[in-house]
Amino acid sequence: MNKEVLIIGGGITGMQCAISLTEIGIKATIVEKSDKLGGKLNDWYKLFPTFTSASEVINPIKDRVKALGIDVQLNSEVIKLTPTTITLSDHTIINADAIVICSGFDIFDAKRKEEYGYKIYNNVITSVDLERMFCEGKVENLDNDTPKRIAILHCVGSRDEKVCQTHCSRVCCVAGVKQAIELKELYPKSEIFNFYMDIRMFGSGYEELYKEAQIKHNIHFVRGRISEAAQTIDNKIQIKAEDTLIGRPLKMSVDLLVLMVGMSAGKSNKDFANIDGVNQNNNGFIAPKDLFIDSVSSDIDSIFYAGCVTSPKSVGESITEGIAAANKVAKFLKS
Amino acid sequence: MSWGYTINRARDIDMDSNDMTTSKLILEKIPSLQGCIACGACVATCSTGALTKYSLRKVHTLVRRGEYSGLLEELNKCMLCGKCQLVCPRGINTRAVISLIKRELGDHR
Ligand SMILES: Cc1cc2nc3c(=O)[nH]c(=O)nc-3n(C[C@H](O)[C@H](O)[C@H](O)COP(=O)(O)OP(=O)(O)OC[C@H]3O[C@@H](n4cnc5c(N)ncnc54)[C@H](O)[C@@H]3O)c2cc1C
Ligand code: SF4
Ligand code: SF4
Ligand code: SF4
């Protein structure tokens, strides 16, 4: 087939979509704004729920992109689209018969929740920082090698109208449980407390992981949202919450506070939604044509979506959508 | 003479000053207790809870936060009938939990 498909974003979703298209004989080009393929997965250490290292997932897919000779344009940010063209930030215009938007999500900026003191206190870090530290093999800033207590706060920048993030980011509960286990394995003598509003374990094996964290690793789960964090004179972080299951306020000081930052809508979504037929939800994510039967389609025949551009998803779900979008593209190009 | 003023004790659960020794010991002996998901089924089915303010869920959550005062008196209301154990979705041996807490808190009053 003599048709060309442009894939916006070379994360796990975009790569999978390009692979699936190429395998059925359709030419696909990946346009990626950063200097490498892989998206967020480049920054994760091990993946829930199996603790498979992220590179074990991402590398075979990168290799496959290479082996199939798929065209990849790095350092190319898409700033505008029409049903048959995309415009890059250097104002180059590229034509296409179909476009698949796989531009993913942005990490919520924890500085916006000032009350937690991110970037003010050294011992307040985000889940994203922690993944990087796991990759580097060392948790920074901890004054001593055996932290007594570590707190993990769920829902930072999710389910919070104060920062216009009304949605649940879905993956942070299980990522928080995963990181709690990893921290416990690193510091077996420390006590770890996860502060949560609801525990959402939606995927296969997630609830089991949660139970394992509780019983095998003795991780404490406290239902309540931390209201504020403050540094103490001995460089600890004092946190306050309500233990809502008891109905009393609770305070404690911890050596490290980890903020489970949510998934926010990608900042390009606004630019993409400049044309009729590409719409955003109130939370900024792109709204697919239909949540049930057209979840990878837009209202424009030639534009498709896959992965976290439409809502927070796990790696497995994102990959599946990459395959699904390829299938829809193929059907459209044949018609 | 009473002037009508009293000093309110702070209601905080202060995890820095609470003595967690007993709490840790109980969780070490019955780790499955840590698997409680606070569903409240044990309280819903409890005959004691139907007639008094007694709540097994609250009692063992307090134990896990190092708050022991008054709990022994609360647990003395339990008839050890075991209904809570039949309904617990996390399969916690609640009667063993009750007996253990009572034993450990016996000299804690
Ligand atoms: C802290 C954390 C931990 C996680 N851990 C796990 C886990 O253990 N297991 C799991 O299953 N999931 C996990 N996830 C979810 C996982 O990160 C996502 O499912 C996955 O990254 C989605 O891939 P994607 O390709 O859709 O988006 P992304 O990874 O965001 O990739 C999007 C790509 O598009 C590019 N792009 C964006 N805008 C443009 C533009 N305008 N022009 C060109 N290119 C653009 C970006 O540079 C990026 O390369 C985690 C998420 C978080 C936040
Ligand atoms: S998955 Fe959990 S931590 Fe993340 S936003 Fe939803 S409820 Fe909060
Ligand atoms: S064993 Fe005790 S706590 Fe459990 S249902 Fe019977 S009275 Fe209630
Ligand atoms: S029934 Fe079991 S899981 Fe539910 S609150 Fe009681 S002890 Fe916890």
Side-chain angles (χ1 to χ4, degrees), chain A residues 48-50 174 201-212:
Chain A
F48 61 73
T50 48
V174 56
M201 294 292 157
F202 63 93
S204 176
Y206 298 5
E207 179 70 13
E208 289 80 354
L209 190 70
Y210 170 37
K211 190 173 171 187
E212 183 188 317

Side-chain angles (χ1 to χ4, degrees), chain A residues 130-162:
Chain A
L130 190 59
E131 287 298 318
R132 176 179 51 77
M133 293 176 192
F134 284 148
C135 289
E136 291 165 0
K138 180 178 183 307
V139 178
E140 291 159 23
N141 296 331
L142 281 177
D143 287 340
N144 56 28
D145 292 339
T146 45
K148 217 171 130 233
R149 277 186 176 154
I150 298 173
I152 297 178
L153 173 60
H154 291 215
C155 299
V156 176
S158 303
R159 310 174 70 198
D160 185 354
E161 299 195 0
K162 288 286 184 298

